[in-house]
């Protein structure tokens, strides 16, 4: 330290340098948080979710591949177009791994339906405040819990290729606040 200069006065003489460094750190942190929160809600695409679910499937060594497909997307849109009451009923049924009759018809898992011989999964998650990973984790737990029509396909197993589609819908939560939710429909061929 030079004569007459204390460490404090040396530091005090360079406040702008320190302020700039501190500001750079704060701005970098703020930008990182902005990027993370921008991944939530409607900004998340179906492709983002597919990629995340495929990464999770690889990590768990399930050997399953998720592929987006228009057919499943149309099924998800048809489910999302149900009335608020029907959607709330659907969510309650899904908690018990079952479906109301109308949803069974839309998904085609009823007798003679388009997916009567395919495994079908359906799930719902909030999008508000959940980024890609949050939504994908919710869906993965719902998809690996068991197909909705597993009891009708005894002795069969689902193919490793899983086709999926998603759709968004708005509803009101139990507190009266409007929220956005995403529905997913996944199908797989039934193999012997």
């Amino acid at each position: 330290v030079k004569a007459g200069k204390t460490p404090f006065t040396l530091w005090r003489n360079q406040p702008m340098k320190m302020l700039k460094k501190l500001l750079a750190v704060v701005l970098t942190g703020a930008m990182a948080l902005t990027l993370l929160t921008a991944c939530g809600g409607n900004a998340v695409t179906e492709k983002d979710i597919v990629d995340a679910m495929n990464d999770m499937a690889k990590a768990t060594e399930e050997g399953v591949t998720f592929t987006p497909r228009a057919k499943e997307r149309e099924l998800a849109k048809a489910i999302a177009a149900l009335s608020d009451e029907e959607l709330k009923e659907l969510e309650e049924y899904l908690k018990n791994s079952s479906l109301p009759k109308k949803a069974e018809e839309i998904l085609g898992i009823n007798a003679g339906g388009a997916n009567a011989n395919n495994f079908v999964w359906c799930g719902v998650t909030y999008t508000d405040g959940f980024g890609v990973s949050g939504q994908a984790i919710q869906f993965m737990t719902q998809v690996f819990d068991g197909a909705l029509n597993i009891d009708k396909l005894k002795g069969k197993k689902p193919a490793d290729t899983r086709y999926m589609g998603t759709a968004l819908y708005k509803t009101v939560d139990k507190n009266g606040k409007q929220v956005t939710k995403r529905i997913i429909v996944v199908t797989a061929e039934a193999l012997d």
Side-chain angles (χ1 to χ4, degrees):
V1 179
K2 293 184 178 182
K5 301 271 185 180
T6 66
F8 176 74
T9 56
L10 286 175
W11 177 80
R12 190 178 53 143
N13 291 337
Q14 299 191 9
M16 288 308 288
K17 266 188 177 177
M18 294 297 284
L19 183 61
K20 286 180 184 179
K21 287 181 183 180
L22 179 63
L23 188 58
V25 169
V26 170
L27 286 174
T28 302
M31 286 171 42
L33 284 174
T34 303
L35 286 174
L36 290 174
T37 57
C39 293
N42 303 343
V44 175
T45 66
E46 185 176 278
K47 183 185 179 324
D48 296 333
I49 293 173
V50 166
D51 292 343
M53 289 175 68
N54 281 326
D55 289 344
M56 288 177 198
K58 283 179 194 170
T60 59
E61 299 178 1
E62 292 289 332
V64 173
T65 303
F66 293 93
T67 304
R69 192 164 75 170
K71 176 184 166 189
E72 284 71 16
R73 189 174 311 111
E74 291 306 314
L75 294 173
K77 286 180 181 177
I79 295 285
L82 293 171
S83 70
D84 274 347
E85 294 79 27
E86 291 169 322
L87 286 166
K88 285 184 170 96
E89 180 185 21
L90 170 72
E91 289 180 38
E92 284 303 313
Y93 271 79
L94 287 174
K95 290 177 186 174
N96 300 314
S97 297
S98 62
L99 284 175
K101 291 281 184 222
K102 188 163 189 173
E104 279 186 14
E105 291 170 10
I106 291 171
L107 294 174
I109 61 174
N110 52 336
N115 284 313
N117 296 316
N118 293 325
F119 285 89
V120 177
W121 296 264
C122 186
V124 175
T125 187
Y126 285 96
T127 61
D128 303 328
F130 286 98
V132 174
S133 297
Q135 291 180 49
I137 288 170
Q138 292 293 316
F139 289 144
M140 286 297 279
T141 57
Q142 294 170 31
V143 168
F144 282 124
D145 277 350
L148 294 167
N149 58 342
I150 197 166
D151 57 328
K152 297 176 183 175
L153 299 169
K154 298 250 189 241
K156 298 193 180 233
K157 66 176 192 164
D160 288 340
T161 300
R162 312 276 168 94
Y163 298 103
M164 61 167 280
T166 69
L168 296 172
Y169 67 94
K170 295 206 181 284
T171 188
V172 177
D173 68 9
K174 61 184 175 187
N175 299 322
K177 179 182 172 193
Q178 188 174 31
V179 294
T180 303
K181 291 187 175 183
R182 184 182 302 269
I183 190 153
I184 189 170
V185 173
V186 178
T187 66
E189 184 181 341
L191 305 175
D192 292 321

